Amino acid sequence: MNKLKIPAAPSIRRLPSYLNLIRQAHAENYEFISGTFIANELHLEPIQVRKDLAITGIVGKPKCGYPVVPLITAIEHFLGWDAKKNVVVVGAGNLSTALTGYQEFRHHGLNFVAAFDNDPKKIGGTIHNVPIFSLDEMCVKVKEFEAQIAVLTVPSSSAQDSADRVVASGIKAIWNFTNTKLKLPDDVTCQQEDLTSGYAMLCVMMGENNPKRTKE
Amino acid sequence: MNKLKIPAAPSIRRLPSYLNLIRQAHAENYEFISGTFIANELHLEPIQVRKDLAITGIVGKPKCGYPVVPLITAIEHFLGWDAKKNVVVVGAGNLSTALTGYQEFRHHGLNFVAAFDNDPKKIGGTIHNVPIFSLDEMCVKVKEFEAQIAVLTVPSSSAQDSADRVVASGIKAIWNFTNTKLKLPDDVTCQQEDLTSGYAMLCVMMGENNPKRTKE
DNA sequence: TAGATTGTTAATCGATTAACAATC
DNA sequence: TAGATTGTTAATCGATTAACAATC
């Protein structure tokens, strides 16, 4: 139920960091970039980088590395970042402001077209030039803007309700920043973004490093 | 180099979502909660939940499940969330505002004490009651507030410079929201938080679901 | 040529899942 | 007692790493 397995998920998660670095190399007019170089920069194993890049279909040139321009194109295509996606954000709070203001996303095809909030003081306004509407207008506006993705940044308490409205509007992909596990139809994809899980990792790593705790 | 392996990292990342649910059960006056129930709610396998909970040291009662209160205490202790940590945030932009305003974190021991920014218009002000100082004051303020963690929300271009200042101030743990891989001394822990990698996952999953693309 | 780097095939490692006896 | 649930031990699965021939 709503649990489609993505093969090579860890590889996919690493691709954006490679893309970043390769783009930099491109800006510096490099024609080729080697897996060894990428690995060194990102503190990974060269073999891992080569395996990851293999999924894009680009073949490298022994001794030189991978051709920069085709590699950028291939990664972007593999990730679907070469296609524009219209996106709505549900909840017009601090996090929405941060996300809509993050220019990086625009360069990856993410095009914010509308925000929704129930606060009458916010409705009619904008965040980073994205117009804010009432949640009741979602169905209409999603169709009008042909939105394909909804970003959820509402409080946990209204997460499921917001998700239901999103689903009702016909959107099939949700990027969920709330810590609520949503109940969704099988054909709706959901990516859970949980900041507390990263925080948990940091805390445990701190404990490991801390002599007071590693002793026991 | 700066790559300490955390065993059972996936388990640790799942613990916060368990905690959430268990807290809810507690609020509803449940004395026990079963692994089966947690698994159903979060769309996981019961055996996985049991394995994950085992790392907290709590033993369950067959037929009943796990005792709610001790389990909450144990998870919080395991994650180090029962200890208060003073935290500074570097960069006083939209993302800092979102993070400092996120109440959830406070309940996990995360105590924002100061923010740093180079914008003269921001210095002297506050975000969510957190005072904003110049980056030049970092060393002094970190010591004054006894900060243990630095959250990096600056633009990529100044990420390494900010990190260097953080390290110089004596902080040993960095939560890095920039997409720059930082060069850090071995004794400094860093948790990389990359929003684009979650976005990459969502895009690939959308492609898998999309009949136009699954055909090929 | 010599040497760095690739891509392939195999080995290892760790995480997930299965099976099942123990137990309340 | 019967049945749901736990915890342990073993099996499976997938991701990472190693080894090495191929190549520019």
Side-chain angles (χ1 to χ4, degrees), chain B residues 19-212:
Chain B
L19 181 58
N20 239 350
L21 201 60
I22 300 161
R23 273 237 178 84
Q24 242 170 269
H26 181 55
E28 290 162 23
N29 289 312
Y30 285 93
E31 201 181 338
F32 288 89
I33 186 168
S34 82
T36 315
F37 176 78
I38 296 175
N40 283 341
E41 288 295 309
L42 302 177
H43 307 306
L44 301 171
E45 295 299 323
I47 174 63
Q48 185 168 59
V49 175
R50 279 180 274 150
K51 266 276 158 69
D52 287 345
L53 292 180
I55 68 177
T56 67
I58 292 294
V59 293
K61 202 153 100 182
K63 176 129 168 158
C64 295
Y66 302 85
V68 166
V69 175
L71 191 52
I72 291 173
T73 310
I75 295 177
E76 285 179 339
H77 182 70
F78 180 84
L79 297 178
W81 286 4
D82 52 354
K84 195 176 86 171
K85 289 158 291 285
N86 291 330
V87 180
V88 297
V89 51
V90 189
N94 293 322
L95 187 54
S96 314
T97 308
L99 293 174
T100 52
Y102 192 41
Q103 291 307 314
E104 190 79 358
F105 288 146
R106 304 216 166 250
H107 304 141
H108 300 331
L110 202 158
N111 183 40
F112 287 103
V113 291
F116 299 98
D117 204 292
N118 270 337
D119 184 344
K121 272 175 277 174
K122 289 178 180 171
I123 296 168
T126 62
I127 37 173
H128 292 291
N129 294 320
V130 177
I132 304 172
F133 303 102
S134 151
L135 262 84
D136 296 325
E137 298 175 84
M138 199 188 296
C139 241
V140 177
K141 292 297 172 186
V142 162
K143 260 138 208 147
E144 184 183 325
F145 287 113
E146 295 181 333
Q148 297 165 263
I149 300 176
V151 181
L152 244 62
T153 69
V154 296
S156 291
S157 50
S158 49
Q160 185 61 54
D161 175 63
S162 301
D164 292 342
R165 287 164 180 262
V166 165
V167 171
S169 78
I171 281 179
K172 300 293 184 201
I174 295 177
W175 198 6
N176 183 16
F177 282 81
T178 78
N179 57 18
T180 300
K181 177 78 193 181
L182 303 170
K183 291 177 205 341
L184 300 168
D186 282 356
D187 64 337
V188 176
T189 303
C190 181
Q191 169 67 23
Q192 190 70 26
E193 210 65 52
D194 186 0
L195 293 182
T196 57
S197 86
Y199 175 58
M201 282 297 294
L202 181 68
C203 291
V204 173
M205 289 193 296
M206 283 176 73
E208 300 281 318
N209 256 5
N210 183 338
K212 272 179 221 146

Side-chain angles (χ1 to χ4, degrees), chain A residues 52-124:
Chain A
D52 288 345
L53 293 181
I55 68 179
T56 67
I58 292 294
V59 292
K61 202 153 98 183
K63 176 130 168 160
C64 295
Y66 301 86
V68 166
V69 175
L71 191 52
I72 291 174
T73 310
I75 295 177
E76 286 180 337
H77 181 71
F78 180 84
L79 296 177
W81 286 4
D82 51 355
K84 196 176 84 171
K85 290 158 291 284
N86 292 331
V87 180
V88 297
V89 50
V90 190
N94 293 322
L95 187 54
S96 313
T97 309
L99 294 174
T100 52
Y102 192 42
Q103 290 308 313
E104 190 78 358
F105 289 145
R106 303 218 166 247
H107 304 139
H108 301 329
L110 202 158
N111 184 37
F112 288 103
V113 291
F116 299 98
D117 203 294
N118 271 337
D119 184 345
K121 272 175 280 174
K122 289 177 179 171
I123 297 167

Side-chain angles (χ1 to χ4, degrees), chain A residues 5 34-35 47 50-51 59-60 62-63 65-66:
Chain A
K5 276 269 169 59
S34 82
I47 174 64
R50 277 180 276 151
K51 266 277 160 68
V59 292
K63 176 130 168 160
Y66 301 86

Side-chain angles (χ1 to χ4, degrees), chain A:
Chain A
M1 190 234 245
N2 184 35
K3 229 208 152 184
L4 83 162
K5 276 269 169 59
I6 291 290
S11 298
I12 294 169
R13 288 185 162 278
R14 281 188 295 265
L15 284 178
S17 63
Y18 298 169
L19 182 58
N20 239 351
L21 200 60
I22 300 161
R23 274 236 177 86
Q24 241 172 270
H26 181 55
E28 291 164 21
N29 289 311
Y30 285 93
E31 200 181 337
F32 289 88
I33 186 168
S34 82
T36 316
F37 176 78
I38 296 175
N40 283 340
E41 288 295 308
L42 303 177
H43 307 307
L44 300 171
E45 295 299 322
I47 174 64
Q48 186 168 57
V49 175
R50 277 180 276 151
K51 266 277 160 68
D52 288 345
L53 293 181
I55 68 179
T56 67
I58 292 294
V59 292
K61 202 153 98 183
K63 176 130 168 160
C64 295
Y66 301 86
V68 166
V69 175
L71 191 52
I72 291 174
T73 310
I75 295 177
E76 286 180 337
H77 181 71
F78 180 84
L79 296 177
W81 286 4
D82 51 355
K84 196 176 84 171
K85 290 158 291 284
N86 292 331
V87 180
V88 297
V89 50
V90 190
N94 293 322
L95 187 54
S96 313
T97 309
L99 294 174
T100 52
Y102 192 42
Q103 290 308 313
E104 190 78 358
F105 289 145
R106 303 218 166 247
H107 304 139
H108 301 329
L110 202 158
N111 184 37
F112 288 103
V113 291
F116 299 98
D117 203 294
N118 271 337
D119 184 345
K121 272 175 280 174
K122 289 177 179 171
I123 297 167
T126 62
I127 37 173
H128 292 290
N129 294 319
V130 177
I132 304 171
F133 303 101
S134 150
L135 261 84
D136 295 326
E137 298 174 84
M138 198 187 297
C139 241
V140 178
K141 292 298 173 185
V142 161
K143 260 140 208 146
E144 184 183 326
F145 288 113
E146 296 182 333
Q148 297 166 260
I149 300 177
V151 181
L152 244 62
T153 67
V154 296
S156 292
S157 50
S158 49
Q160 185 61 54
D161 174 65
S162 301
D164 292 343
R165 287 164 180 263
V166 166
V167 170
S169 78
I171 281 180
K172 301 291 185 204
I174 296 177
W175 197 5
N176 183 15
F177 282 82
T178 79
N179 57 17
T180 300
K181 178 78 194 180
L182 303 169
K183 291 179 205 338
L184 299 169
D186 282 356
D187 65 337
V188 176
T189 303
C190 181
Q191 168 67 22
Q192 190 70 26
E193 210 64 51
D194 186 359
L195 292 182
T196 56
S197 88
Y199 175 58
M201 281 297 293
L202 181 68
C203 291
V204 173
M205 288 193 294
M206 282 176 73
E208 300 280 320
N209 256 5
N210 183 338
K212 273 179 220 146
R213 293 187 68 182
T214 37
K215 264 296 157 53
E216 53 168 299

